[in-house]
Amino acid sequence: MELTGKTVVVTGGARGVGRALAEAASDHGAAHIVVADRDFSAARQTARGLGAQAIAVDVASQDSVSALVEQVENEIAPIDLYCSNAGVVFPAELTDESAAASDEVWQKSWQVNVMSHVHAARALVPRMKARGGGAFLMTVSAAGLLNQIGNAPYGVSKYAALGFAENLAIMHGKDNIQVCALCPQGVQTDMIAGLDNSSVAVDGMVRPEDVAEAAFRGLEEGRFMILPHPQVQEHFKRKASDYDGWIGGMRRLKDRLDNIVGMTG
């Protein structure tokens, strides 16, 4: 999909990767851009700089996502590209115990990192089918391919998010609905501030703007999997070819990170 003249919605659009996606959509010629975020004030500030529109949304709520879709389609234009970007991570939950996070953290991770994509598809797929197509860009994470050391709720929810994106792509390709899974590793955003010594930074941190450009390049090329960190593809290949060896390598990585944190903590 090319963005010229298109209507684009970006959730989590006020900051970080979401803001970069909205800015890149403008640079690529989108006709209408909607910056959707729980923080309406920040969304409005981002939108103002782009000549876009801001709408408040809670992606964990089906009613809120459905209302967002209704408002955009009734007041602006049919949605061509829905960037399901909003996500959540709880850095305070970093721990050596996989099951230590509270039920509240697990549930919030599930609602935002997985169900937000389901809510969007539930609201938009019937509309896109009826008018002959559309596109979803789902911000997943390299954690959806490689898990997340020290943060089980994040890693597990991102695996599920990737699984849903795959299913959506399989089931609705015949409906001319394009699905892209954006899977960056470390990105320089407030969301992962303070995690410079964690596994997210192993292959280096990239700018949100780099992630957005990779996303729209992949969208235009019709790719499902978009990897702003090319090393992730090699890691995933090793995992697929030797699962036990990959587990061993991840254990060694964890030990190395534990030593780094021990020296700096």
Side-chain angles (χ1 to χ4, degrees):
M1 170 185 279
E2 292 189 359
L3 294 183
T4 303
K6 298 296 195 295
T7 297
V8 180
V9 173
V10 184
T11 66
R15 301 179 179 86
V17 171
R19 177 173 182 148
L21 287 170
E23 291 172 344
S26 177
D27 291 342
H28 283 254
H32 305 287
I33 301 166
V34 175
V35 179
D37 203 287
R38 284 190 68 183
D39 187 340
F40 179 68
S41 177
R44 185 168 52 188
Q45 184 175 352
T46 296
R48 188 180 297 122
L50 299 173
Q53 182 164 339
I55 298 177
V57 67
D58 177 1
V59 297
S61 163
Q62 179 69 71
D63 288 345
S64 184
V65 172
S66 295
L68 166 66
V69 170
E70 287 279 347
Q71 184 176 348
V72 174
E73 300 235 335
N74 291 339
E75 297 179 9
I76 301 175
I79 297 169
D80 298 296
L81 170 63
Y82 188 97
C83 299
S84 189
N85 170 75
V88 67
V89 64
F90 296 90
E93 297 297 322
L94 289 171
T95 175
D96 280 338
E97 299 290 339
S98 291
S102 67
D103 285 357
E104 180 182 3
V105 166
W106 277 99
Q107 187 62 26
K108 189 67 173 178
S109 299
W110 180 262
Q111 286 295 325
V112 177
N113 293 343
V114 183
M115 293 307 296
S116 63
H117 304 307
V118 179
H119 297 330
R122 190 177 285 150
L124 266 174
V125 164
R127 294 170 181 265
M128 288 181 174
K129 286 175 65 175
R131 57 180 174 250
F136 290 91
L137 175 69
M138 298 186 176
T139 302
V140 180
S141 169
L145 296 165
L146 303 171
N147 220 305
Q148 185 65 51
I149 291 172
N151 199 322
Y154 186 76
V156 172
S157 62
K158 291 299 186 175
Y159 266 71
L162 182 60
F164 181 71
E166 290 172 349
N167 193 276
L168 194 66
I170 292 166
M171 296 298 293
H172 295 290
K174 62 181 174 56
D175 300 312
N176 197 33
I177 295 175
Q178 182 181 354
V179 181
C180 301
L182 178 61
C183 295
Q185 201 157 278
V187 186
Q188 296 165 350
T189 67
D190 293 341
M191 185 175 177
I192 61 170
L195 299 183
D196 300 48
N197 290 328
S198 74
S199 59
V200 299
V202 166
D203 288 318
M205 306 280 275
V206 299
R207 301 177 308 151
E209 295 81 3
D210 299 326
V211 175
E213 281 304 317
F216 290 139
R217 187 166 57 250
L219 184 75
E220 290 173 357
E221 293 172 356
R223 285 189 280 122
F224 171 76
M225 181 66 66
I226 301 172
L227 301 174
H229 291 76
Q231 305 95 319
V232 171
Q233 184 170 8
E234 295 306 313
H235 299 329
F236 188 58
K237 286 179 179 179
R238 284 197 292 272
K239 176 181 176 179
S241 63
D242 182 6
Y243 224 130
D244 290 324
W246 176 78
I247 291 286
M250 291 292 278
R251 287 171 176 163
R252 290 189 293 275
L253 174 59
K254 178 188 179 300
D255 290 342
R256 187 173 55 142
L257 294 171
D258 287 346
N259 288 334
I260 292 173
V261 172
M263 288 186 289
T264 60

